[in-house]
């Protein structure tokens, strides 16, 4: 899925849902043409790429060039890595752009 409108849509919904975290997973084409794993977390309206460096400018996307987002998961927030609770997913990321799905 093209990620241009995806992140802003999910960030907007997450601002009103501090009890939810979205995890996006996908791939990035490296300079050597190899595929690398991609993970982005969205919490309280902010995105953070956990697998690749990001620009300091908050107006720029956290997705590296060549990124493809493939799946999304809705987790109970705030995130506790030792006791993650998945509420929904994995599913196509565009399905989480509907606020009603954020159970």
């Amino acid at each position: 899925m093209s990620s241009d409108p995806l992140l802003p849509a999910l960030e907007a919904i997450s601002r009103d849902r501090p009890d939810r975290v979205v995890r996006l997973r996908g791939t990035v084409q490296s300079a050597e043409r190899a595929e690398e794993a991609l993970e982005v977390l969205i919490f309280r309206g902010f995105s953070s790429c956990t697998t690749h460096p990001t620009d300091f400018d908050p107006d720029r996307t956290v997705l590296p060039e060549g990124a493809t987002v493939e799946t999304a998961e809705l987790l109970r927030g705030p995130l506790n890595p030792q006791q993650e609770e998945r509420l929904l997913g994995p599913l196509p990321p565009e399905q989480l752009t509907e606020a009603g799905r954020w159970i």
Side-chain angles (χ1 to χ4, degrees), residues 1 6 9-11 19 22 28 30 35 38 52 64-65 67 69 72 74 78 80-81 91-92:
M1 165 175 201
L6 178 65
L10 294 173
E11 289 168 347
D19 59 336
V22 173
V28 175
S30 71
E35 280 194 352
L38 170 73
H52 293 79
E65 189 174 322
V69 176
L74 188 64
N80 177 353
L91 50 92

Side-chain angles (χ1 to χ4, degrees), residues 24 31 51 95:
L24 302 175
T51 55
Q95 289 187 12

Side-chain angles (χ1 to χ4, degrees), residues 7 11 46-49 53-63:
L7 287 182
E11 289 168 347
F46 294 97
S47 296
S48 179
C49 184
T54 58
D55 196 321
F56 184 72
D57 183 353
D59 293 329
R60 297 194 54 159
T61 183
V62 299
L63 293 174

Side-chain angles (χ1 to χ4, degrees), residues 40-98:
V40 173
L41 298 177
I42 302 173
F43 180 62
R44 292 188 174 194
F46 294 97
S47 296
S48 179
C49 184
T50 63
T51 55
H52 293 79
T54 58
D55 196 321
F56 184 72
D57 183 353
D59 293 329
R60 297 194 54 159
T61 183
V62 299
L63 293 174
E65 189 174 322
T68 302
V69 176
E70 297 163 1
T71 64
E73 298 170 308
L74 188 64
L75 309 168
R76 183 169 310 281
L79 193 59
N80 177 353
Q82 284 77 36
Q83 195 172 10
E84 256 182 34
E85 185 178 349
R86 184 174 30 202
L87 303 172
L88 193 61
L91 50 92
E94 59 274 358
Q95 289 187 12
L96 283 183
T97 60
E98 303 167 24

